Amino acid sequence: MGVYAGPTLIIIPGLVTMLWAILAIRKVTAAKRWTIVAGTIIGRDRDAHGPIDVVEYPLPEGGTRRLHPEPHGQYVSGRPLGTQVTVWRDPQDALEAVLELPRLERFAGQFVVGVLGAFFFFGGLIWAGLIWALVSR
């Protein structure tokens, strides 16, 4: 069994890294699975980058909540007041919402780490398979 120590030292970290990346990507892209609701631009505000829209969206139990775009996001402010916009609302916590879905740069690092983990995991499996083929002769 000592001959499998090398592949095991590659397979286990590769598997852990791959699973971590999958969970991290699911967390970052969670908004894609959230409920879509219609928000309304009700006003303007300012941040360090200039004027931004203030969007109000409905809560499931009644009432509304206000939302601002992400400071470094792709949402373009400046539409007329009263314009309907898409809001992604978390079904578990209606107070959590976003005005845009995550773009690739939000999870590109986790994706690259996951690909490297998969490379080591499957490389270790192939290495273990080759050892098994040689030992079982």
Side-chain angles (χ1 to χ4, degrees):
M1 274 322 224
V3 295
Y4 292 108
T8 303
L9 291 175
I10 300 296
I11 292 171
I12 292 174
L15 179 63
V16 169
T17 304
M18 195 170 53
L19 292 176
W20 172 85
I22 290 169
L23 293 175
I25 290 170
R26 284 191 53 81
K27 183 178 179 184
V28 170
T29 61
K32 286 185 172 190
R33 296 177 294 280
W34 289 357
T35 306
I36 296 175
V37 296
T40 306
I41 298 174
I42 61 163
R44 300 270 185 270
D45 207 348
R46 291 192 70 77
D47 69 358
H49 305 287
I52 58 171
D53 292 341
V54 177
V55 176
E56 194 171 71
Y57 66 94
L59 297 172
E61 61 275 351
T64 59
R65 178 152 172 97
R66 291 184 178 183
L67 177 66
H68 294 86
E70 297 279 327
H72 300 289
Q74 298 298 315
Y75 179 86
V76 178
S77 292
R79 298 179 197 147
L81 296 179
T83 303
Q84 297 283 317
V85 294
T86 302
V87 176
W88 286 267
R89 183 181 67 199
D90 186 350
Q92 306 300 322
D93 180 12
L95 299 178
E96 191 71 35
V98 295
L99 290 172
E100 61 184 284
L101 293 175
R103 293 169 34 98
L104 178 61
E105 61 262 11
R106 293 275 320 271
F107 59 92
Q110 294 94 328
F111 182 74
V112 169
V113 170
V115 168
L116 289 173
F119 174 77
F120 282 101
F121 175 73
F122 290 112
L125 286 179
I126 291 169
W127 185 12
L130 290 173
I131 291 172
W132 180 78
L134 290 173
V135 171
S136 64
R137 282 184 173 193

